[in-house]
């Protein structure tokens, strides 16, 4: 009998402002298996987009990312994520403002917290202002409405603060 251990995917939730651009960028990275736009770490059960846009739900627009850590280690994923955000901006990315556009790394595994905190400590040396990306346990994630999923694939001219040309060569 073979003792083959199947590698299970890892999962992390990343908030990077508007989830359309974050998802469009991340889903193209080699090693990403699945992405889903949604609302994370708020205090309103089952929110919809209209509710989240009020800024009163506590949710951040975020992207749940399942990935193969053998192909895309978390530190590399975070490095790519940082290319899509202004990590020192509070509640704002591109032209979008409000608490729902805050940046955050929401983890389920304690080891991911350590990786994220170590990564941010190294990145902080590059900036004159404090990094404002929150690193917190994932308390909840509600998938966004279907029309938000893969929005920029369905609407290529849609607004996006993320420069998709920053993708590493060979990943798209």
């Amino acid at each position: 009998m073979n003792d083959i251990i199947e590698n299970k995917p890892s999962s992390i939730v990343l908030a990077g402002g508007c989830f359309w651009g974050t998802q469009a960028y991340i889903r193209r990275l080699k090693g990403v298996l699945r992405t889903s736009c949604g609302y994370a770490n708020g205090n309103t059960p089952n929110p919809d987009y209209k509710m989240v846009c009020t800024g009163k739900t506590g949710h951040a627009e975020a992207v749940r990312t399942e990935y193969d850590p053998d192909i895309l280690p978390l530190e590399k994923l975070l490095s790519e994520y940082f290319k899509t955000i202004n990590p020192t901006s509070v509640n704002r990315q591109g032209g979008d403002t409000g608490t729902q556009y805050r940046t955050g790394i929401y983890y389920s595994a304690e080891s991911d917290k350590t990786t994220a905190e170590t990564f941010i400590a190294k990145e902080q040396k590059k900036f004159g202002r404090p990094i404002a990306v929150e690193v917190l346990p994932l308390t909840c994630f509600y998938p966004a409405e279907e029309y938000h999923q893969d929005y920029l694939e369905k609407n290529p001219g849609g607004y996006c603060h993320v420069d998709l040309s920053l993708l590493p060569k060979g990943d798209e």
Side-chain angles (χ1 to χ4, degrees), residues 151-169:
Y151 184 86
L152 292 177
E153 300 344 306
K154 298 172 192 171
N155 303 281
Y159 167 75
C160 177
H161 74 279
V162 175
D163 182 355
L164 298 177
S165 73
L166 295 174
L167 279 164
K169 297 294 179 217

Side-chain angles (χ1 to χ4, degrees), residues 55 72 106 159:
L72 181 65
Y106 307 118
Y159 167 75

Side-chain angles (χ1 to χ4, degrees), residues 37 54 73 86 153 163:
C37 289
T54 68
N86 174 347
E153 300 344 306
D163 182 355

Side-chain angles (χ1 to χ4, degrees), residues 127-142:
F127 296 93
R129 295 180 17 196
I131 287 181
V133 178
E134 56 188 22
V135 177
L136 297 170
L138 180 65
T139 59
C140 61
F141 181 87
Y142 296 97

